[in-house]
Amino acid sequence: MISHTGTLFNDGPVRRVVETALRAQRSQGALDLNDELRRFVRTMCAADTSRWLFPVASVAALLDHTADLLRSEGPAFFPRTFTERLDEARNGVPGDDYLHGLAGLMRAADQQPDAGFADLPLADWEATARFPELRGFGANWIYDGEYPSLSDSIAAFVEAEHPFCSETFSRLVADAQSVLVIFPRSDALSVNVTRWIPWVSHDALREIIRRIDDHMRTEHSGS
């Protein structure tokens, strides 16, 4: 095993696809692998930068290449953590065949229309990947009960981050605005986001945007 190649399999898209397959395997039928890969493709294609940096076709090709390496070099070439994940996910199917199969499923998912949230609601892992700042805000400022209200939590957050707040604030506001645009209906918000990030509501997101916008105009307008 050449150590510097390990991250190719222990992080990045190969790991994520295998973990997606493993999650479906462990669910014992509760999750459909095809649906999970459609979610994976939807997440990859959610931002133009992701499409530009690593298109789905490249991920599928990397899976095929990994399968070829597994066949030619054997499991010892790969990090142990990768082969452990793969062995559990493949459930007895030869590893190279399994990886080629995943590559084919990825290509098929990429050829389908974008998965709509009405037919395929946001999964827990998907909400974390797409809206990490909202997830982090709840964990860091709400769930421990330190502040009596959401408004108090936001005020404490703003005070704690100032004056080095431009990057943190912009990411949180971007997440909040994205959720408002993608899920304007309360029922869709509940099914796709609030079930995974319980503090989120339309009013809460609007308050975050308003409070941060007020702060930026007052403290960082440059006037």
Side-chain angles (χ1 to χ4, degrees):
M1 166 72 206
I2 303 173
S3 61
H4 63 262
T5 66
T7 55
L8 180 62
F9 311 106
N10 270 345
D11 204 358
V14 171
R15 171 181 175 174
R16 301 305 174 199
V17 173
V18 172
E19 284 182 335
T20 298
L22 181 55
R23 185 166 46 248
Q25 174 69 24
R26 287 174 173 171
S27 77
Q28 298 182 331
L31 297 176
D32 180 79
L33 177 58
N34 287 296
D35 283 347
E36 287 299 284
L37 291 176
R38 289 176 65 204
R39 288 186 170 103
F40 187 94
V41 169
R42 177 170 68 187
T43 301
M44 285 192 64
C45 296
D48 290 339
T49 51
S50 298
R51 293 174 182 264
W52 184 82
L53 287 167
F54 219 134
V56 175
S58 296
V59 177
L62 186 54
L63 288 166
D64 279 329
H65 180 61
T66 304
D68 293 341
L69 281 174
L70 185 61
R71 178 178 296 169
S72 63
E73 302 294 335
F77 178 80
F78 297 88
R80 178 179 51 81
T81 49
F82 170 76
T83 55
E84 286 175 349
R85 292 188 194 101
L86 179 61
D87 286 347
E88 185 179 355
R90 65 188 178 88
N91 196 30
V93 177
D96 55 337
D97 290 343
Y98 188 76
L99 289 167
H100 281 309
L102 289 178
L105 291 175
M106 289 286 293
R107 293 188 181 95
D110 193 33
Q111 294 300 312
Q112 297 177 25
D114 290 345
F117 296 108
D119 297 327
L120 195 64
L122 209 69
D124 186 9
W125 64 266
E126 198 178 4
T128 298
R130 294 188 64 151
F131 308 118
E133 301 301 320
L134 298 181
R135 178 83 85 173
F137 185 83
N140 293 323
W141 297 96
I142 296 178
Y143 299 150
D144 63 4
E146 182 177 356
Y147 305 101
S149 69
L150 175 66
S151 294
D152 291 318
S153 295
I154 297 172
F157 167 72
V158 169
E159 182 179 356
E161 295 295 325
H162 179 75
F164 308 105
C165 50
S166 57
E167 184 176 350
T168 304
F169 285 6
S170 63
R171 294 197 305 262
L172 180 59
V173 168
D175 274 7
Q177 191 64 67
S178 294
V179 170
L180 287 174
V181 170
I182 297 171
F183 305 109
R185 292 173 51 94
S186 295
D187 54 349
L189 181 71
S190 177
V191 168
N192 289 282
V193 182
T194 307
R195 66 187 295 193
W196 310 123
I197 312 175
W199 69 269
V200 166
S201 69
H202 288 137
D203 288 342
L205 297 175
R206 293 188 184 104
E207 183 171 356
I208 280 182
I209 294 170
R210 183 174 61 254
R211 294 285 292 273
I212 289 179
D213 183 58
D214 288 346
H215 172 84
M216 297 303 289
R217 284 189 290 105
T218 301
E219 302 294 339
H220 302 278
S221 64
S223 56

